[in-house]
């Protein structure tokens, strides 16, 4: 038997899970941008996922990707400030700095993440400049790669490229700006950059794949894009509890791409059909075919590399994959706890079923996380509909 975790570890995890539950609120912060199918406004959590995926696709470092996971968390307190509207820049900056101190102050090692956020905001280091570049280019192509972009949004993009914050990209990243200009003029960009943009445009569809899980506040279903962002943030925050040999940067990259296949296959709830619907032979085949199609949109070598990373996650054998899989099971448990039962109530899950379907997987890669979650889950099952 494993020894019970110490009081220090349990207190540490209480703080980390509280931060990650607070971070869930970013999924309810709406931006001025809309999804590429124009169905609804984009939220800041799925934007953060998409920008981090841009960074992955365009060769950013692990540090730059980590910055992008964090960069918009302050909007939980401050909201989004669209670039085409006038703002009191000094007041916004002060409010965001205060929000950053509050949010990262929730963590036992929050100073390190606060420093990373401040580095991004300053935009002076190579990693911060790369992260800023991704953050500023994604909204351009979010508009320009849409099948039928909104005219007023196209006008905002045109102004942004000519006289706004994106103007500097003509000097920093002319290839991207030339591609954007081509799209403005009704021409198709070409080359490997165009392949990456096609992959990233396709990825936007993940924002419309609904999961069974509710947000922590119980207000709606979570989508798979914001789930992927939240999981990558889990990896960053829970890194001190990873096992030996785990590379957190690789884990984050796995989690950013792990659910892209759901664009074709949809989400299959782990508790559906008495736990029997998840990862059957037909589903595994459909996911493999989806992976071939979606990663095949990228330049061949890059697509093969990400396809292999996705397959490593699915195989669940390496230290990185085992930890990533544990987090993929842990995050919905925390959301069910926070939302008063969530899918457990909907699917009439028992504690024993939770242990069998979820707990053993979490314990394999993150035993301390499962100790904390299982104790918290017992409170629900002791008093809930199965208690």
């Amino acid at each position: 038997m494993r020894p019970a975790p110490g009081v220090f570890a349990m207190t540490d995890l209480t703080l980390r899970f509280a931060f990650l539950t607070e971070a869930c609120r970013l999924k309810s912060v709406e931006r001025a941008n809309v999804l590429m199918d124009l169905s609804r406004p984009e939220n800041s959590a799925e934007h953060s996922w998409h920008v981090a995926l841009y960074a992955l696709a365009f060769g950013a470092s692990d540090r730059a990707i980590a910055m992008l996971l964090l960069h918009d968390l302050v909007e939980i307190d401050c909201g989004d400030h669209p670039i085409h509207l006038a703002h009191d820049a000094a007041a916004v900056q002060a409010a965001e700095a205060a929000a950053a101190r509050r949010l990262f102050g929730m963590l036992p090692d929050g100073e390190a993440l606060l420093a990373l956020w401040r580095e991004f905001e300053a935009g002076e280091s190579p990693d911060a400049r790369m992260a800023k570049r991704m953050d500023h280019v994604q909204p351009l192509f979010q508009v320009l790669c849409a099948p039928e972009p909104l005219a007023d949004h196209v006008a905002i993009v045109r102004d942004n490229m000519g006289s706004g914050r994106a103007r500097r990209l003509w000097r920093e990243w002319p290839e991207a700006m030339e591609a954007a200009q081509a799209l403005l003029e009704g021409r198709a960009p070409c080359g490997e950059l165009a392949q990456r943009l096609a992959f990233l445009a396709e990825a936007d569809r993940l924002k419309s794949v609904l999961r069974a899980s509710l947000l922590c506040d119980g207000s709606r279903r979570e989508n798979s894009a914001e789930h992927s962002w939240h999981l990558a943030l889990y990896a960053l925050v829970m890194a001190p509890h990873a096992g030996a040999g785990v590379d957190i940067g690789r884990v984050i990259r796995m989690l950013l791409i792990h659910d892209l296949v759901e664009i074709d296959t949809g989400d299959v709830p782990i508790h559906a059909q008495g736990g029997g619907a998840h990862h059957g032979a037909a589903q595994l085949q459909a996911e493999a075919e989806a992976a071939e199609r979606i990663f095949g949109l990228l330049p061949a070598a890059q697509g093969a590399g990400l396809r292999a990373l996705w397959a490593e996650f699915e195989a669940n054998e390496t230290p990185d994959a085992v930890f990533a899989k544990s987090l993929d099971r842990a995050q919905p448990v925390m959301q069910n706890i926070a939302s008063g039962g969530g899918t457990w109530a909907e699917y009439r899950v028992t504690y024993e079923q939770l242990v069998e379907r979820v707990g053993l997987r979490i314990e394999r890669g993150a035993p301390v996380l499962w100790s904390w979650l299982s104790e918290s889950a017992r409170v629900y099952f002791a008093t809930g509909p199965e208690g």
Side-chain angles (χ1 to χ4, degrees):
M1 292 180 61
R2 296 181 184 272
V7 173
F8 174 81
M10 297 302 273
T11 302
D12 178 89
L13 285 170
T14 297
L15 295 173
R16 294 180 192 278
F17 276 119
F19 171 83
L20 290 163
T21 299
E22 181 73 355
C24 189
R25 293 175 57 200
L26 195 66
K27 301 169 190 174
S28 299
V29 176
E30 288 192 349
R31 294 168 44 81
N33 270 40
V34 296
L35 303 195
M36 290 178 64
D37 65 4
L38 312 185
S39 60
R40 61 169 175 82
E42 181 185 52
N43 70 59
S44 292
E46 59 198 1
H47 162 75
S48 296
W49 167 76
H50 208 180
V51 174
L53 190 67
Y54 262 71
L56 188 158
F58 286 111
S61 69
D62 290 344
R63 288 188 79 252
I65 291 172
M67 287 179 187
L68 291 167
L69 298 178
L70 302 172
H71 80 291
D72 271 347
L73 279 169
V74 295
E75 294 184 1
I76 290 169
D77 290 356
C78 304
D80 178 55
H81 295 89
I83 59 171
H84 62 289
L85 301 179
H87 306 289
D88 183 334
V92 170
Q93 185 177 25
E96 290 184 345
R101 290 192 300 271
R102 180 187 77 81
L103 289 162
F104 297 119
M106 298 175 68
L107 287 166
D109 51 1
E111 283 297 321
L113 296 187
L114 178 59
L116 195 64
W117 178 84
R118 286 172 172 162
E119 181 182 342
F120 170 82
E121 285 298 302
E124 295 175 355
S125 69
D127 287 332
R129 287 197 296 271
M130 179 62 168
K132 286 278 189 182
R133 198 173 299 153
M134 298 299 105
D135 188 35
H136 293 172
V137 81
Q138 184 261 1
L140 303 182
F141 290 112
Q142 183 85 0
V143 172
L144 296 174
C145 292
E148 298 181 12
L150 299 174
D152 57 335
H153 287 207
V154 172
I156 292 168
V157 166
R158 195 184 303 275
D159 289 344
N160 189 11
M161 291 172 60
S163 58
R165 70 182 187 183
R167 182 180 180 182
R168 78 180 197 289
L169 296 178
W170 284 107
R171 179 184 70 257
E172 292 184 16
W173 197 9
E175 298 84 359
M177 295 299 276
E178 288 163 5
Q181 186 64 39
L183 289 165
L184 274 173
E185 296 171 359
R187 296 182 287 111
C190 58
E192 289 193 349
L193 188 145
Q195 290 176 281
R196 293 185 175 98
L197 290 176
F199 166 78
L200 292 162
E202 183 71 359
D204 192 74
R205 295 175 56 199
L206 196 64
K207 301 169 188 174
S208 298
V209 176
L210 293 183
R211 294 167 43 81
S213 295
L214 300 177
L215 302 193
C216 288
D217 65 5
S219 61
R220 63 168 173 82
R221 304 279 187 190
E222 180 184 51
N223 70 59
S224 292
E226 61 198 3
H227 164 73
S228 297
W229 163 77
H230 208 182
L231 270 182
L233 187 65
Y234 261 66
L236 188 62
V237 169
M238 292 297 185
H241 296 286
V246 172
D247 181 336
I248 291 298
R250 289 189 81 247
V251 170
I252 288 172
R253 290 168 185 264
M254 280 184 185
L255 293 171
L256 289 173
I257 67 170
H258 81 291
D259 270 348
L260 281 170
V261 295
E262 293 183 1
I263 291 169
D264 289 0
T265 66
D267 176 63
V268 179
I270 196 167
H271 297 298
Q273 298 179 21
H278 201 260
H279 272 168
Q283 183 196 357
L284 291 173
Q285 178 62 30
E287 289 181 350
E289 292 172 359
E292 286 296 325
R293 183 188 76 78
I294 294 166
F295 295 118
L297 296 171
L298 287 160
Q302 184 176 29
L306 291 184
R307 172 70 172 79
L309 190 65
W310 175 85
E312 180 183 341
F313 172 83
E314 288 297 308
N316 192 26
E317 294 174 353
T318 66
D320 293 343
V322 170
F323 187 61
K325 281 281 189 179
S326 294
L327 296 178
D328 191 29
R329 295 293 182 265
Q331 185 255 10
V333 173
M334 185 67 250
Q335 296 201 176
N336 279 340
I337 292 168
S339 63
T343 54
W344 298 338
E346 182 177 354
Y347 290 103
R348 300 185 63 81
V349 177
T350 66
Y351 180 75
E352 291 71 24
Q353 289 169 339
L354 178 68
V355 172
E356 178 186 355
R357 299 170 188 170
V358 176
L360 296 178
R361 182 70 58 87
I362 299 172
E363 187 175 38
R364 181 182 175 207
V368 178
L369 268 64
W370 175 240
S371 293
W372 190 97
L373 288 167
S374 64
E375 288 304 311
S376 299
R378 283 179 192 275
V379 175
Y380 166 77
F381 286 101
T383 60
E386 297 296 335

